[in-house]
Amino acid sequence: MPVFVPRLARLLTALAAVVALVVVFLGLIVLTDGAASGLAAWSATLGAGAALAIWRGRHRTWPARLMPFLPVAVAAALTATVCVPTVPTTRRYPPALPYVTTQHWRLATGSRVAVYHYPPAKSGTRHPVPFVYLNGGPVRGISELDHRFLRLLAGRGYDVYAYEQAGGGRSEPLPMGQYSVYRSVRDLAAFTDRLGRGKVDVLGFSSGGTVLTRALAEPGVAARLHRAIIAEPGPMDGPTARLTGHRGRPSARGLAPAMSGPRSTHVPRYGVAFGLMRLGLLTPGTGLIGQAEGANAFTAADLGGDTASAYCARDAHRIPTEDSRRNFSFSAAASLRVQQTVRDSSSIASRLGRSRTPAMLMIAECSSQVRRWETAVLSADPAITRTQYMPRVGHHMWNGLDDNNDRAAAVVTAFLQDAPAPLRNHPTREEIPGFLHDRA
């Protein structure tokens, strides 16, 4: 028998042992929820591997007894990379923006949020009702692309305020167990109270639209709202979250070039942590990585195709840069926690059916949201007086391409001024079945 055959067999056996130990380690990470930065799983795996190596080498001569420890050492080195942080473990906030002052408000709920104010232009008509923007994410910083759109609205006479929800951007984080869609709704009410200007107009985008929809279902919060604009909302409650079906017309997902820039998920520690959290195998409060470390590590490139899914297929090769690396901020763990509270919530349809706050729904042609999430809001809320189906745009409707910002601003301002809509009212409640059937 050639010499290399037994050597190859030993090599394959060693590789199999390494793989087995890595699998055991990952299983223990899940079982322990990443306790002690993964060191609990690492120690247990190392101990089990060492015990097995001692047992396998018990009948060998002394030098040969060390051979079974080689796969253990290799596996220990590989899995140790999951236990060692490579970014700061205390929160590092984005630096100040050069074009707007960052204020920090302590709300009655205890949240300390970053606030941005764009006063109305001095020339032209000035609108007395404050305008508040709720960005998407959830628990993501407001992008520079969104800031550009807010400045456009201020230039048209609106007194614009925006705040990054707790844990997002420059806002202070909460203990993981305190993140919830309920807290987000209470923070909105507390923000309007802290503003002290009476009723406000609110534009809620994506998950911000979910928060706004739920606020409309709470009479005490809805009483603080003058008009509501629900743009591309996520699911409003648990029953809605379980709805399936088609989305809008084809997005750029799978067509656009891969996002450039560093990815934390290329680092074993964060690839394992974020991957297992997304699969639901680790809790958002996992002991593997802390909330601050996770937010520091996560990059815009980690979003992958999620960014492309917010644009139409026709725009696949000209997707704008939504944010700078210095401004980008996203807490994946806190976001998953908030989303889970939505999925676990009971129906709000009956309470939303009593809403009296004038509202508008905005739906994008190439929406990445499940259509039935959007039409569920339209069906339940009788106070939605107009729906604007936005052609030639994806989920991120004000994206800086062509005249998309101006078209979105025209729709928003027409509703706030109770002026004729730039687009026909579509879909109406009666048109929902056809709208869903036509895959519009």
Side-chain angles (χ1 to χ4, degrees):
M1 180 183 296
V3 175
F4 72 86
V5 173
R7 288 181 178 176
L8 178 60
R10 288 195 295 271
L11 177 61
L12 292 176
T13 300
L15 288 175
V18 171
V19 171
L21 287 170
V22 170
V23 170
V24 168
F25 170 75
L26 293 176
L28 290 172
I29 285 286
V30 173
L31 289 174
T32 62
D33 199 25
S37 195
L39 290 174
W42 186 82
S43 300
T45 303
L46 184 60
L52 181 61
I54 292 172
W55 183 83
R56 290 183 59 202
R58 69 191 186 283
H59 297 308
R60 302 183 184 185
T61 59
W62 174 245
R65 288 183 182 181
L66 298 178
M67 292 303 297
F69 285 91
L70 181 59
V72 179
V74 173
L78 290 175
T79 54
T81 61
V82 178
C83 304
V84 181
T86 60
V87 300
T89 56
T90 55
R91 186 73 175 97
R92 295 293 186 265
Y93 296 97
L97 292 166
Y99 45 77
V100 65
T101 300
T102 305
Q103 306 174 50
H104 285 92
W105 291 6
R106 177 71 68 181
L107 305 180
T109 57
S111 299
R112 189 168 186 266
V113 297
V115 180
Y116 309 95
H117 179 210
Y118 292 104
K122 295 180 180 179
S123 59
T125 303
R126 302 181 70 177
H127 304 280
V129 179
F131 177 95
V132 176
Y133 177 61
L134 290 177
N135 68 302
V139 200
R140 179 175 174 176
I142 298 175
S143 72
E144 293 187 353
L145 201 58
D146 282 358
H147 277 289
R148 192 180 310 162
F149 182 64
L150 298 179
R151 292 200 298 272
L152 174 62
L153 294 175
R156 299 190 178 192
Y158 291 90
D159 196 10
V160 176
Y161 291 84
Y163 68 95
E164 289 167 322
Q165 297 172 50
R170 297 166 184 81
S171 293
E172 289 186 359
L174 300 172
M176 188 58 68
Q178 293 186 21
Y179 287 105
S180 72
V181 70
Y182 309 103
R183 176 62 171 263
S184 299
V185 172
R186 292 197 300 272
D187 280 351
L188 173 60
F191 181 84
T192 61
D193 292 343
R194 175 71 167 74
L195 185 59
R197 297 271 303 277
K199 290 188 175 185
V200 299
D201 294 325
V202 181
L203 166 60
F205 167 65
S206 194
S207 63
T210 297
V211 173
L212 180 55
T213 301
R214 296 184 69 97
L216 294 172
E218 298 292 337
V221 183
R224 297 167 167 87
L225 309 181
H226 178 251
R227 285 179 175 258
I229 302 170
I230 305 165
E232 282 286 287
M236 65 184 182
D237 53 26
T240 307
R242 290 187 284 275
L243 294 175
T244 58
H246 71 270
R247 301 167 193 260
R249 300 199 188 280
S251 76
R253 191 182 187 97
L255 302 174
M259 289 188 68
S260 61
R263 295 192 179 203
S264 70
T265 47
H266 289 171
V267 178
R269 177 173 176 81
Y270 306 113
V272 168
F274 294 137
L276 293 179
M277 276 193 283
R278 188 158 191 173
L279 291 172
L281 298 176
L282 289 181
T283 68
T286 176
L288 182 57
I289 59 170
Q291 179 185 171
E293 182 188 353
N296 291 340
F298 203 92
T299 69
D302 287 324
L303 293 173
D306 287 351
T307 297
S309 69
Y311 294 83
C312 290
R314 65 176 69 90
D315 296 324
H317 295 283
R318 59 169 195 155
I319 293 176
T321 300
E322 293 191 339
D323 215 351
S324 67
R325 292 182 187 175
R326 288 168 58 83
N327 186 60
F328 178 82
S329 172
F330 181 61
S331 177
S335 180
L336 289 171
R337 163 72 184 169
V338 174
Q339 292 176 62
Q340 187 61 53
T341 64
V342 174
R343 289 193 294 269
D344 292 342
S345 67
S346 58
S347 174
I348 65 168
S350 60
R351 286 181 286 134
L352 186 58
R354 296 190 287 272
S355 175
R356 296 295 179 266
T357 303
M360 176 177 70
L361 178 65
M362 297 176 70
I363 300 176
E365 177 185 0
C366 309
S367 175
S368 57
Q369 306 290 66
V370 173
R371 285 299 197 209
R372 294 173 71 193
W373 294 352
E374 300 165 325
T375 57
V377 179
L378 177 60
S379 295
D381 187 352
I384 293 180
T385 58
R386 67 175 73 173
T387 302
Q388 299 285 269
Y389 176 75
M390 304 291 293
R392 305 193 305 279
V393 292
H395 181 60
H396 206 157
M397 293 180 283
W398 40 89
N399 53 37
L401 297 176
D402 304 327
D403 62 344
N404 293 340
N405 282 19
D406 288 325
R407 291 194 297 120
V411 165
V412 168
T413 57
F415 174 71
L416 295 180
Q417 297 172 30
D418 201 21
L423 305 170
R424 73 183 181 94
N425 185 30
H426 171 73
T428 63
R429 291 176 184 83
E430 294 72 24
E431 292 171 338
I432 288 175
F435 178 74
L436 296 176
H437 177 75
D438 292 341
R439 302 182 65 86

